[in-house]
Amino acid sequence: MRRFQDSVMWRKLLFVLLLSCLVSGAIDPGAEDEEKVLHIGGIFPINGTSGWQGGQACQPAAMLALQDVNERADLLKGYKLNLVWNDSLCDPGLGAAVMYELLYNAPTKLMLLGGCSTVSTTIGEAARMWNLIVVSFGSSSPALSDRKRFPTFFRTHPSATVHNPTRVKLMKKFGWTRIAILQQAEEVFISTAEDLEIEATMNGVEILTRQSFLNDPTDAVKNLKRHDARIIVGLFYVVAARRVLCEIYKNNLYGKGKVWFFIGWYENGWYERHLKEEELNCTLDQMRNAAEGHLTTEAIMWNRDNKITISNTTAEAFRKRLEKELFNRGYEGILDDIFPEGYQEAPLAYDAIWSMALALNVTMEKLAQQGKSLRDFTYSNSDIADQIYEAMNATQFLGVSGPVAFKTDGSRVAWTQVEQLIRGKYEVLGYYDGQTDNLTWFEVERWEGGKVPQDRTIIKSELRTISLGLFIAMSCISAFGILVSLFLLLFSCLYSHRRMMRMSHPACNNVTLGGSILCFSSVFLLGLDGRFIPEENFAYLCTARAWILSFGFSLAYGSLFSKIWRVHRLSTKSKVESKQISVDPWKIYAMVGAMLVVDVVVLSVWQGVDPMVRTLETFPLEIPLDTDDDVKIMPQLEHCESTHNNIWLGTLFSIKGLLLILGLFLSYETRSVKLDKINDSRLVGMSIYNVAVLCIITAPVTLLVSSQQDASFAFAALSIIFCCFLSMALIFVPKIVEVVQNPRERVDSTEHGPSREEEERYHALVAENEDMQKLISEKEEMIKLLKEKIAQRNAAKAREAASLNHVVAAPESQTRLRQAGTT
Ligand code: ABU
């Protein structure tokens, strides 16, 4: 590559040294009579090694035009038009040097003819200082349409912006809404890319990335790959295009699923040439493979309807003449359809000379009326320059490139042609007229894989739903649970008069059953998801789940809790007090009601302040197994969430959690209490253990596995089902067994059972009996006391009597003693 650049440098230096000799030698030898010759200057890109070297075919075309113009007696009467030209190599510096040589060497040039955007930009900007009109046959840069910067610039070559509506039209046709741009860092391509960005964005096409390079496209192409670009518009000269193509091959950015838009003015087989000179690291086959299938857009440069044009010839006749001329000049490859660069633009060069000649002709006639001549033109004569400008602006004719007319910005209006490289040959796919937005399409495009490539990987969002089998199984068990609850409700009502039922507070049991029915229903709601509920109704489902599960819990657990609460209260009173406390159903209802009120308050505030909505959790993309299309699956899982979800859940869980812990404590405290008034207190306690333990485990685990819909649902559903069934079993199975074992009690109690009055009397008698027993025991106590007192008194009396008897007996004994002593 370095050797190649050095050789280019040497060629440029040599070129500058020889420039002046060459310019003077370029004067057409036919223009001998200087007085009768009008001179125009020409700057052609021919022998360069980069950029566009279209002068190879355009210079011969311009000479043919010059010949034709000079043969016309009605044009520029009495004058011959002469073209003084030189090669710019499509190098702006050399282009400027050629221009200075043309201007600072006699004779005076009336106009300048140029090609290649980079050179035209230089000379187009400077030409006004010499009052020179510049006409370009090979400059596509949109920047050249800026009248302020290029006030005297005209071109027969359409602006590169004409491709952009065509490209966008195709993108819309094939449904591509995301494209990338790769551009060479030259003003022509920068301004084209800018225009494309605007055009694309206006039409809803997003620019994924815009990569730029000066000479080496390696990094830029890698970046395109990194961005996963699929539809790429490439804007570069042909030498750079070959480097890009080689990188495209190396980065595997071609073939199925990739579409490249290239500029259409590269000559046929451009990707097969100069591979060695340009030291490309790709083989011919690799270049062919990478190039296959790309699309090109190009303004139509050859008149398609083959009408007679201004030069009394048809486009086809001109083509033949040009090919002969090129062959004579040594381009023998044209026999094999290998054309020199600029072959496509040759009609533009031909028509450019014609438009200059026509404008000069009109100006000459106008000047003649003013007694002036074109020979009066000097580089400081703006008057004649203005008149040439006016004439150029008004120029209209049918040329070999089609109808020639200039817009106010000096650009050419043109149709565009879309081609595709199919099996190594460019096939015309259609034409587009940007002015009428009319696309003529032949439907001959060919896509590798048989399908229009996508502009990106299609991401299909797929809702993760609860496995249908699991949902059906849990729903069936819950439905069965509801039926069992209803059966138990019936049982509770039918046998409510049995002593065993009465002593277990059927009202409380019925509330438990009601709560269980709601909990079972909530299982069904927990299993409903986006498969069954439309997105817009999902928030209602979220609300229903929260309300029904909360209410179900408060009813079922609340009634158990209130029962154990009463047991605890009774067990902590003295026997007498405890007997006086009656267990009225309203007290149980009040406690459950209080829990429901708390639920209503919390849930209402939650719903009012921060309602639950449907949110989607997304998971890493997955590759589908059943298709080789460019599709990826984005799994999503629906959740019910509020903005401050944690606060609301925390509040609700804290309240319920406290109740569960308190329930556990009360159950433990009353574990060995046996009360007649509440005969199933131990079973209720066991139910509470069961509910509390399961809830305390389930709530956090369900939150932890919330991203696994099946596990989370199964865990929650099984806990609810298990809690409900176990509580129902603990409370009702002993009662059912009792009813089954003693069916007679039911008959007795229902047919001859005591009436309410009898029952009250019984209670009164029991109370009276207890009072009497108390009285008796008091009396017995008193009797005992009195007896003791009497016994004490009697004992005292006895002692008194005994002492009296002793006193009376003493003299007698003394007498007896004395009597014995005297004797
Ligand atoms: N069609 C050739 C255009 C070359 C250029 O704009 O420089």
Side-chain angles (χ1 to χ4, degrees), residues 52 90 115-118 137-141 157 188-189 237 263 265 298 301 345 348:
W52 179 69
C90 192
C116 169
S117 292
T118 48
F137 56 87
S139 304
S140 59
S141 173
H157 195 298
V188 47
F189 304 119
Y237 282 120
I263 293 171
W265 37 257
E298 185 44 39
M301 297 176 192
E345 291 85 351
L348 305 178

Side-chain angles (χ1 to χ4, degrees), residues 601-626:
V601 171
V602 174
L603 290 171
S604 302
V605 175
W606 183 355
Q607 205 179 324
V609 175
D610 185 12
M612 273 190 281
V613 289
R614 173 183 183 266
T615 58
L616 286 175
E617 180 187 359
T618 50
F619 298 90
L621 295 179
E622 291 170 1
I623 300 163
L625 301 171
D626 53 350

Side-chain angles (χ1 to χ4, degrees), residues 257-272:
K258 307 281 185 305
V259 180
W260 281 88
F261 280 84
F262 285 153
I263 293 171
W265 37 257
Y266 309 151
E267 297 311 326
N268 286 348
W270 59 271
Y271 50 88
E272 297 170 335

Side-chain angles (χ1 to χ4, degrees), residues 125 228 385 449 515 517 775:
E125 215 165 7
D228 190 24
I517 291 174
L775 211 63

